[in-house]
Each structure stands twice: as structure tokens, then as C-alpha cells.
Amino acid sequence: WRSDTQGWRAAFVWLGLGWGAVALLFSVLFLFDIHDQKREREKAAGPGFIEAAELPGLTIPQAMRDTSLWRVALATLLTLFVTIAVSVHQFPIVMETGLTRADAAWIGSLVGVAGILGKVITGWLLDRFHARWVGGLTLASTALVYPLLIKGYAPAWLVVFAIVVSGYTAGTKIQLCNYLTARYAGIRNYGAIFGFMASMIALAGALGPLLGGIVFDWAGSYAPLLWTGTAISLVSGALIFSLGKYPQWPEANPAQAS
């Protein structure tokens, strides 16, 4: 509605103000980490009290040699490359199947709901099952639905199903990367290690939509992108399936000095 009445630029401004303001508010009110807790304990203990904690996890050199983290990074780069490309080109992909622009907008609203459900359900599953099963199946599942988005391959109801499944999995992939990084790297240098993972996410976000557009201009169809996405989904899922057991970290060893 904003796009039709005020233009797509205004629509992006309202999206930023809406979701951005909500995210900022919740972050300020509820987002705390171990460093905030340490400062609170030091403040409560009074002047002269300093607490140092040796956090569990890998050093930076250890993380650079860890094959599990490299598999997580590669799976994240590959799967988000396709996911973001399909998300950005979602409207023309849906319209290429024969549906109208209005249909594409309606389906897009379902994608948002599916993405939210994906985050919640995946979090619930990660609390109960190993991430290699949850993540592997989630990443591989889009290999079943991307072919349904190719023109002439599926009726309208299957196109809707494919887009919803794609949206569901899109809502889980960064969350899976966060979780896997914490489990396999620990929290000793989590900021630096996840910073590298975030660079993979940013690279995928930059290249995916661009190359998706180039593929369409070259082929006149999104079919090559979707077939490539099918193969990448299987490879990414296999990379996560191949992860081993979670590392067992020694318990944090807090030290106090005054």
C-alpha cells in the first residue's frame, strides 16, 4: 500500500522506522550479555572490586584451524547467496509462474509470517535436537521447493507452498549461523569469530541479488538461478549434516581481585 500511494522509497523508510524502532527498543530494554552482568556485580560490590572471567571457547588461531567453523561459514555463504537472491527477486519469480502482481504481494505477506515461525520453531527444535539435524534438514529442504517456482512446473497452490517454505527457511538461516558459531567456537572470542561469519552474510547479500539479476538478463528466465539454488541447498545441508559433536568446554573460571 505504501509503495502504491507514496512510492517504494517511502515504503522502505516506513519499514525502517517501524521494525527498526521496535528492535532498538527491545535491545535497550532486554538485551544483556555476560559483560553487562559483570559490570553490575562490580558495581554492587563497591569500589576496588574487579572481576575477571576466563570464558570458554576457541582462541582466534584455533578458530582459523577449526574445520567445523569453516563448514558453517561456507554453508552460510552458499545458502544465503541463493536465499537473498530469491528473496530480492521474489516478485518477478512468482509472476513468471503465471500469477499476478497482486498475488505476488499477497504471497509476500505469507513469507513474513513463515519467517517468524521459522525462527521460533527452529529455536524450539535446537533445544531438543542436535543442530546438524535441524540445520541440515532445514537448508536442504529448499531443494524440494525451488524447482516448483520454475515456470510451468507447478500449479498455483504449489507455488504458494514453495514460497512459504522458502520464507520459513529464510527465517532460520542467520539464526542457525549464530547458534552453530556459539556452539562450535564458544564465547571466548565469539564477537570476532561471528564478525567473520557476518562478513559471509554480507558478501552473500551483496552478490546474490546482483548475480540473480545477471542470470535473468542472460537467460531470460529465473530457471538457472532456481536450479543452482536446488544444488546449493543440497550442498549446504550436507555441510551442516557433516558437523560432529559439540565441543565440551571447561566451565568458566571466574577470578576476583581487589
Side-chain angles (χ1 to χ4, degrees):
W1 176 79
R2 290 284 179 187
S3 296
D4 288 338
T5 59
Q6 299 179 356
W8 63 268
R9 291 179 177 83
F12 272 102
V13 171
W14 281 105
L15 281 173
L17 291 174
W19 288 112
V22 172
L24 178 61
L25 177 63
F26 276 88
S27 296
V28 171
L29 294 177
F30 303 111
L31 189 60
F32 303 100
D33 64 8
I34 192 171
H35 301 291
D36 297 306
Q37 297 165 4
K38 183 171 75 72
R39 283 191 291 269
E40 288 297 321
R41 288 193 294 270
E42 290 175 352
K43 183 178 179 181
F49 179 87
I50 300 174
E51 178 182 326
E54 185 176 329
L55 302 177
L58 301 178
T59 64
I60 298 299
Q62 288 171 334
M64 292 177 66
R65 297 191 298 268
D66 190 271
T67 57
S68 294
L69 290 177
W70 280 110
R71 276 176 275 181
V72 172
L74 182 58
T76 299
L77 174 64
L78 291 175
T79 193
L80 285 178
F81 172 85
V82 176
T83 298
I84 298 172
V86 171
S87 296
V88 170
H89 294 274
Q90 177 181 299
F91 268 52
I93 287 174
V94 171
M95 293 173 65
E96 194 175 69
T97 66
L99 299 181
T100 66
R101 187 171 183 268
D103 292 330
W106 172 75
I107 294 170
S109 68
L110 297 180
V111 170
V113 175
I116 294 172
L117 289 176
K119 294 178 187 298
V120 175
I121 294 172
T122 299
W124 184 86
L125 291 172
L126 288 172
D127 286 338
R128 290 157 178 80
F129 304 100
H130 197 288
R132 68 169 173 261
W133 294 104
V134 178
L137 288 171
T138 300
L139 299 190
S141 65
T142 46
L144 300 175
V145 298
Y146 281 155
L148 300 177
L149 298 174
I150 298 174
K151 181 179 180 180
Y153 270 61
W157 70 271
L158 275 179
V159 172
V160 174
F161 171 76
I163 286 291
V164 169
V165 172
S166 177
Y168 172 93
T169 61
T172 70
K173 292 173 181 178
I174 295 177
Q175 180 183 5
L176 282 168
C177 180
N178 291 342
Y179 183 84
L180 289 168
T181 303
R183 291 307 300 256
Y184 285 95
I187 57 174
R188 183 176 182 180
N189 289 288
Y190 177 81
I193 296 168
F194 186 71
F196 176 79
M197 298 295 182
S199 71
M200 296 295 100
I201 296 170
L203 182 61
L207 293 180
L210 172 64
L211 293 180
I214 291 173
V215 166
F216 178 82
D217 289 342
W218 166 71
S221 166
Y222 286 104
L225 171 66
L226 294 167
W227 283 123
T228 302
T230 300
I232 285 177
S233 297
L234 295 174
V235 171
S236 301
L239 286 168
I240 301 302
F241 270 129
S242 70
L243 295 173
K245 295 181 178 179
Y246 297 136
Q248 297 298 314
W249 310 111
E251 298 209 0
N253 180 27
Q256 298 178 358
S258 58

